[in-house]
Structure formats: structure tokens, C-alpha cells
Amino acid sequence: MIADELGRADDVERVLIDEKVIEKRLDAMAEEIDREFPSGPILAIVLLKGAFVFAADLLRRIPRPLDIECLNVSSYHGGTESSGVVKFLDHSLPDVKGRHVLVLDDILDTGRTLKAVTDRLLLEGCAAVHTGVLLAKDRPRAEDVQADYVGFEIGDEFVVGYGLDYRGRYRNLPFVGVLKS
Ligand code: 5GP
Ligand code: MG
């Protein structure tokens, strides 16, 4: 397929989780986070680019003061397999000292991203790292991590949509789906 053609909704073979189901689940997740998180403003750290749609929809459902920061990290570098190396693409990190942080990522796969980000934030002096992901793949993790808040458990297959890309495209699909091969 030529590059300009990538990104159409009809490249999708199967919708895995549709928009309405995602919205309903986010209502419940936001409620759970608000209930369980220590009182005071939450510092949300959104992992770009994949988590921007999930974070926007989730954080607007949390009715308390929020600080929002973004971190640009990369492990897939555009393909369909994790490269195994987590790169921090920002020159500086947000000030997290003493804060309870909620790290949001699109999907938990090998676990390397959440592990690398969690370790880094703890090193920067944050009080605690809580983690939330829209999706968690049912597969062995390379790192011993789990997310505190999980939207949906899915099978071990490559998905796009709702923030997740293939070669930079499909992030704007309003659902999570599997591409035609
Ligand atoms: P991990 O570090 O847990 O292996 O992978 C997390 C990152 O890999 C996610 O933030 C996401 O960017 C990418 N990733 C993992 N699985 C998928 C997938 O099925 N589809 C897409 N588009 N990205 C994925
Ligand atoms: Mg990512």
C-alpha cells in the first residue's frame, strides 16, 4: 500500500472495541481513579503520542483539580513490533517532586514503557506512580509491571485507533480495531 493511502477506516478488518463501549468504560475508570487517588490535585502524565485520545477523554471525566503534563516516549518506532528500547524524546522532564503521579499510556504490551517511565519518575523524586492504560495485552511481560487501572484486556494482536497508530496513521479512528493484513 502506498504511504498516502494508509489511514482509512476501511483498512480495518475488525472493530474490537467500539466508541460507545469505550465511553462507558471510561466513566467507570474515572470514577474509580477519583475514589482511590489520594486527596489533592492529581498530576497526570500523558505518554505521547498514543495516549492523547484516551487521556483527553478520561481526564475530562475526573471532577477534581488536575495538572497535566506530557512525555514523549517511543518504543515501536512506527512498526508493529516493540523495538525493546524505550526512548525519552523530551529534553526535560516535568517537575514531579513529592507528587502522586498518574501515568497514562494507550496500551500495556511488553511493559518496558511503563517500567522505564515509572523508574525514571521515581528517580526524579515523585511520591508515588500510579498507572492507567486503555488496553492491556494478554501476553507475558518483559518487565514485571502491571497497570493500576486497565480499560480493557485484549488478545495479543496489533491494534490501531483511538490514539494508536500504524506508521503514524489511524490514531483518529474513534474505535479500537485490527487492520487487514
Ligand atoms: P510496551 O513498552 O509495553 O511493550 O509497549 C507499549 C507501547 O508500545 C505503547 O505505548 C504503544 O505505543 C506501543 N504498542 C504496543 N502494542 C501496540 C499495538 O497493538 N498497537 C499499537 N499501535 N501500538 C502498540
Ligand atoms: Mg506508546
Side-chain angles (χ1 to χ4, degrees):
M1 200 184 293
I2 55 171
D4 276 356
E5 295 294 310
L6 280 178
R8 298 170 195 276
D10 58 12
D11 299 339
V12 170
E13 180 183 276
R14 190 153 47 87
V15 173
L16 214 59
I17 313 169
D18 80 31
E19 203 175 353
K20 288 276 167 282
V21 174
I22 296 174
E23 284 171 0
K24 211 166 156 232
R25 181 72 189 113
L26 294 190
D27 287 340
M29 280 177 91
E31 208 251 317
E32 198 185 339
I33 290 167
D34 191 38
R35 184 165 17 92
E36 293 181 357
F37 230 80
S39 64
I42 296 173
L43 172 55
I45 297 193
V46 182
L47 303 190
L48 298 179
K49 298 171 191 163
F52 84 103
V53 177
F54 165 54
D57 284 350
L58 178 73
L59 296 176
R60 281 180 298 164
R61 289 169 158 82
I62 300 179
R64 72 153 101 175
L66 280 179
D67 298 305
I68 302 177
E69 297 283 353
C70 296
L71 266 189
N72 224 321
V73 293
S74 171
S75 63
Y76 265 44
H77 316 306
T80 63
E81 289 289 333
S82 172
S83 70
V85 181
V86 180
K87 282 207 274 192
F88 287 77
L89 306 175
D90 301 285
H91 291 297
S92 62
L93 292 178
D95 181 11
V96 297
K97 277 187 196 64
R99 302 288 306 266
H100 277 262
V101 169
L102 174 64
V103 174
L104 296 176
D105 203 4
D106 48 4
I107 185 165
L108 176 59
D109 182 16
T110 65
R112 289 192 186 101
T113 303
L114 275 191
K115 174 83 167 105
V117 170
T118 300
D119 286 354
R120 187 67 191 271
L121 293 176
L122 288 171
L123 209 67
E124 297 288 318
C126 75
V129 181
H130 311 254
T131 51
V133 293
L134 177 71
L135 308 169
K137 274 190 194 174
D138 182 14
R139 56 154 289 167
R141 310 267 179 249
E143 296 286 348
D144 182 23
V145 286
Q146 13 181 15
D148 300 307
Y149 306 97
V150 175
F152 302 91
E153 306 268 356
I154 64 169
D156 187 9
E157 58 187 341
F158 187 79
V159 296
V160 296
Y162 203 77
L164 293 113
D165 75 307
Y166 172 63
R167 297 198 179 171
R169 301 279 170 87
Y170 306 99
R171 296 190 195 277
N172 57 325
L173 297 178
F175 52 80
V176 174
V178 178
L179 290 176
K180 292 172 185 162
S181 48

